[in-house]
Amino acid sequence: MVPDELADDVPSAVATLLAHPERVRALVSAARPVLWAGADVPGRATAPETGIPDAENLTGSPCVGVWIDRNDFLHQELSADGRYDETRGGRPHAYQGRYWIDGDRIGYLDDLGFWAYGEFQCDELHHAGYVMKLG
């Protein structure tokens, strides 16, 4: 939760979280408070790190490759340098940007500035309503 004047919409709220974590009133993760009134919740060692993770070398990662949805509409290439390139409906380079993996979650920051998230479930990647498998 962030003050109303800093969160006209979800992208504004996320921007506040990343750029001004001291202005965050509360942050809940997995149904547990992490931050409250801008400070770590007692008993919790640390709050999640804010900002964009550094690109890591993902060479050899089982996540690297081209993920394709069941209808062959979305092709998402995850490269070892932490970049992604999407083809949607046959339109190449529809979306491009950075990605990072944290456990079963994948975060995306598009070159145009918007954020997206997904989740790996077994051998599937779930993202934006699509279910993809490595092609």
Side-chain angles (χ1 to χ4, degrees):
M1 294 187 301
V2 297
D4 288 344
E5 65 271 13
L6 299 175
D8 290 335
D9 52 28
V10 172
S12 298
V14 171
T16 298
L17 173 63
L18 296 174
H20 302 286
E22 73 281 359
R23 302 290 309 269
V24 175
R25 302 304 304 152
L27 177 64
V28 178
S29 176
R32 293 185 171 179
V34 175
L35 292 175
W36 195 264
D40 286 340
V41 170
R44 179 166 169 81
T46 59
E49 291 185 28
T50 59
I52 302 167
D54 291 331
E56 57 185 285
N57 183 344
L58 296 166
T59 301
S61 168
C63 301
V64 170
V66 178
W67 293 81
I68 302 170
D69 81 306
R70 295 172 178 159
N71 297 319
D72 201 35
F73 176 82
L74 173 64
H75 293 212
Q76 185 179 90
E77 180 179 2
L78 303 179
S79 56
D81 63 356
R83 299 278 304 164
Y84 73 91
D85 188 345
E86 282 189 11
T87 297
R88 287 194 181 216
R91 187 176 123 218
H93 316 300
Y95 297 100
Q96 297 174 311
R98 289 203 35 220
Y99 77 93
W100 53 94
I101 297 171
D102 182 13
D104 291 339
R105 290 186 45 88
I106 182 170
Y108 304 88
L109 176 57
D110 189 82
D111 289 344
L112 298 174
F114 66 85
W115 296 82
Y117 302 92
E119 184 176 20
F120 293 98
Q121 296 178 8
C122 297
D123 64 344
E124 298 176 335
L125 171 54
H126 294 246
H127 164 68
Y130 294 96
V131 176
M132 296 175 275
K133 290 193 174 244
L134 273 174

